[in-house]
Amino acid sequence: MGSRNVRHALAIAALVLGIHGAQATPGAVDEARIIGADGEPGNWLAHGRTYGEQRFSPLDGINADTIGKLGLAWYADLGTRRGLEATPIVVDGVIYTTGDWSRVYAIDAATGKTLWTYDPKVPRAWGVNACCDVVNRGAAVWKGRVYVGTIDGRLVALDAATGQLAWETLTIDPSKPYSITGAPRIVKDKVIIGNGGAEYGVRGYVSAYDANTGQMVWRFWTVPGDPSRGYESPDMEMAAKTWNPAGEWWNKGGGGGTVWDSMAYDPDLNLLYVGVGNGAPWNRWERSKADGDNLFLSSIVALDPDTGRHVWHYQTTPSETFDYTATQHMILADITLGGQLRKVIMQAPKNGFFYVLDRATGQFISAENYVHVTWATHVDPATGRPVESDPNQYRDEKKLIFPAPFGGHNWQPMSYSPLTGLVYIPAQDLPFTYAQEKGFEYGRHPWNMAVDMAAAMPPPGQDPALTRNVMRAIAKGHIGAWDPVAQKEVWRVQHDGPWNGGMLSTAGNLLFQGNAKGELVAYRADNGQRLWSAPTQSGIVAPPVSYAVDGEQYVAVMVGWGGALGLAGGIAPREGDQVGGRLLAFKLGGSAQLPPAPPPPVLPQPPAQTASADTIGKGDALYHAYCSVCHGLNAESPTLADLRYMQPGTHALFDKIVLDGLYKDLGMVGWSKYLSADDANAIHAYLIERAHQTQREQAGGWWLAVKNWAYGVLAKLVAWFIQVTA
Ligand code: CA
C-alpha cells in the first residue's frame, strides 16, 4: 500500500471510530471545557459563556484603540419580524442559535453560511400562551448535541452535526398554559429547563433531564400545591408554611413562581442557582390573603444539581404582588468585600434593588436600589428584608408605583467585567398604575393576575398622540455601570427609551450593547465613553457575544425587536420599518453591507367610519383589555400585525379572524370564549378610527405640529410630576 492509500485507510478508520483528527466532533462541549472556558476564549460554550454567567469575553483584538476599524463581516437573514432574544453559542467555528417559534440554526461563524436549521413546528395557536412574544433565549450544546426548549413546552435534543432530532420530551402538562422561552443549562449530563406562564396561572417548577436519553432525573416545584394532597418533598412542606390556604391559590392559577430564564452553576460548591418568578395571581390579597412570604416566589434558590433538593434560598420580594420576578440574570464572581475575598452571587431583579449575596450560604450581604423605587424604602441590612413603603400598597385604591411589571431590569443579560469590577445593568425606568381587580374570578380572561389592567391604560378616547408623548417622556432606559462593592452607580449612559439589548464586556476595555433605536454601540468599559456604532435597521434586545475563528475576533448579535415591551409597545422605537430579523457579525476591517431597508408600509385606505362615538369608546376599552398586550398600545405595533394597516380583505374577514380563529395557524386564535359579536364589532370600529387618525397624522400640517409640540411640553411636565410625587 502506498502512503496515499495508508492515509486513506486511516481516514476511513478514523471516520468509523468517530475520530476526526484535528477536526473536532461538532458541538463537543463538556463540563471540563466550560469550566476551562478562559483557556479557549475564541469559543462561547455556554449561555453566559461560563457557568458563572459573567458574559465577559477575554478577547482583546477588538479594543478601545482598534474599534474604529470594526465593520460588518456578514449577516444571516432569519426571515422573521418577531423578537429575537437568543445568546448565540459558538463552538469551534460554528454558531448555534435560536429564533422565533423556537427555531434552531447552525451557522458558520466565519462566513455566516447556514449549515442546518431545525423547526420544531410549534402549533401556532400555542402562541396565545406566550405572554411575551414567541421568543427563545438560546440553545445549549453538549457532547455533540444541541438542546432547546420550545414554546409549547418540549425539550428537544438535536445532532450538532446535522440538526437531526435525537430525542424530544414533553416537559409540561399540555392542558395548562405553560411555555418555554429560556435557554437550557447543562450540568453533569443533566439538561436543566424551567418554563413560563405565571400571568396565565400555572404552578412553577424546574426539571433536570438526562442529556443522553431525555428521561427526567428530578423536578423542583417552586411553590406548594393543594395542601390537602400532601407535599412532593420536605422543601414544599417548608414552603407551604408561608402560604395561607384561605387563598386557595391552587384553584386560582397554581401560585406561579415560574423559572423562565436565569440559572447559574458553581461546580466547586456543587450548587445550581435558579431565579424564580412572580406570583399567580399577582395580587397577594387574592393569592394568599396577603399572609405569609409565599416561598419560593421571587427568590434565588440554590439547589443540589444531583438531586434537585433545596439547599438555600433568598427571597427578594416576600409576598410578591407586583410581578417582581427574581428570574433576572444572576452573576457569580469572587470579589473583595471588607478585605475578604467572597464568593458572591449578584442579581438586579425587577424590584429595583441590586443584591449581593454569599453564594455558598445564601447569606445577605447588601442591596441598594439601582433605579427609582417607590414600593419599598430600602432593604434592611440586619434582616435582608425589604421595608415596604406602605404595606397596603394598592389594596384600597389604585397607585402609581416604581418599577413597573416590566422591571427596573428585565431578562436582558447584564455583564460583569473582572477588569473594571463593574456590573453593567441594562436598566429601565418606568412606573405602573396598580389596582386590584374587583370580583376577580379565575378563567374570565386568559391572563389571571387579579390586577385591573384598565387602571394602567390611557382613558378610552384619549388622543393617542398624547399617550405616545407621555409614554416617551416617562419610560426611559439606561446602562447603569454598578460598583457591587460600594453598591452605587459609577456612571450611566442615558437612552431615549426602555427595552434595550443585553450587555457584553470584553478584555479590550469595551462594552457592547444593541438598542431599541436600531444600532449596535461600543462604549469604553471603564468610563462609558461612546466609541463606535453601527446601524442595524431594527431594534435590538438580545445580548452580543464575542468569539474568534482562526485568530480573528468577531462580535455577533441577534437583531429583532420584540418581547414583552416590544409587543405591548406604545413606544415603538421606529414607525413601521421593522425589517426582518438577522444575526449580524462584525470584525476588524469587515466591509459587508446590509441591503437597503425597505420603505415603510403604505397605509391602506380604511373603510368609512359608521360606528357611534360610544361604540368606538367601548372598542377602545375592549382592545386594551384583550388585544393590546400583543398588538400594541393604541394599535401601534412594530413587531406583530399593525392593525391600523389592515387591508380591505382583512377588514372583510375581521369577525371570522377575531371570533372564529380563521388565522389560528398564524398564531391568532379565536376569542369567542371571551368576546361577543358586538364586542368584536366595537373593536373593529376602534381600529377603523385609529386608521383614520393615522391617515390624518401622516398628512401632517401646521396644526398637527403645534398639537404635538404642546403634547411634548405637557408630557415632560407629567413625567416630572410623576418623578417627584410617586
Ligand atoms: Ca411575570
Side-chain angles (χ1 to χ4, degrees), residues 445-466:
H445 188 285
W447 286 32
N448 293 284
M449 289 108 77
V451 164
D452 180 9
M453 294 302 271
M457 293 294 167
Q462 176 167 300
D463 188 340
L466 175 60

Side-chain angles (χ1 to χ4, degrees), residues 146-293:
V146 178
Y147 298 84
V148 66
T150 69
I151 275 284
D152 58 346
R154 287 171 284 156
L155 181 64
V156 302
L158 309 172
D159 184 311
T162 63
Q164 294 286 308
L165 184 71
W167 55 255
E168 75 169 20
T169 186
L170 188 62
T171 71
I172 62 163
D173 171 352
S175 73
K176 302 215 161 66
Y178 287 103
S179 56
I180 300 179
T181 56
R185 310 299 201 277
I186 304 185
V187 167
K188 298 173 141 183
D189 289 314
K190 294 177 195 69
V191 189
I192 319 291
I193 190 76
N195 48 49
E199 272 59 56
Y200 298 81
V202 294
R203 184 184 176 200
Y205 58 88
V206 59
S207 322
Y209 292 86
D210 184 306
N212 267 316
T213 63
Q215 293 296 309
M216 191 168 89
V217 183
W218 55 252
R219 172 161 294 173
F220 176 79
W221 293 94
T222 57
V223 298
D226 181 346
S228 72
R229 301 177 64 179
Y231 305 106
E232 290 89 353
S233 69
D235 305 333
M236 280 302 96
E237 196 172 352
M238 164 178 60
K241 295 192 174 84
T242 66
W243 292 69
N244 185 337
E248 289 190 40
W249 66 91
W250 60 91
N251 284 331
K252 291 179 179 171
T258 49
V259 180
W260 57 261
D261 195 57
S262 68
M263 296 180 221
Y265 169 56
D266 185 323
D268 293 330
L269 296 170
N270 195 35
L271 289 176
L272 170 73
Y273 307 93
V274 300
V276 181
N278 57 278
W282 290 2
N283 180 334
R284 67 185 175 204
W285 297 273
E286 195 64 52
R287 189 179 66 237
S288 181
K289 304 291 171 194
D291 181 17
D293 287 350

Side-chain angles (χ1 to χ4, degrees), residues 557-569:
V557 67
M558 305 286 287
V559 176
W561 208 66
L565 195 52
L567 288 186

Side-chain angles (χ1 to χ4, degrees), residues 78 132 159 166 318 359 400 554 679:
L78 302 180
C132 306
D159 184 311
R359 73 171 178 272
L400 190 84
Y554 295 77
D679 293 341

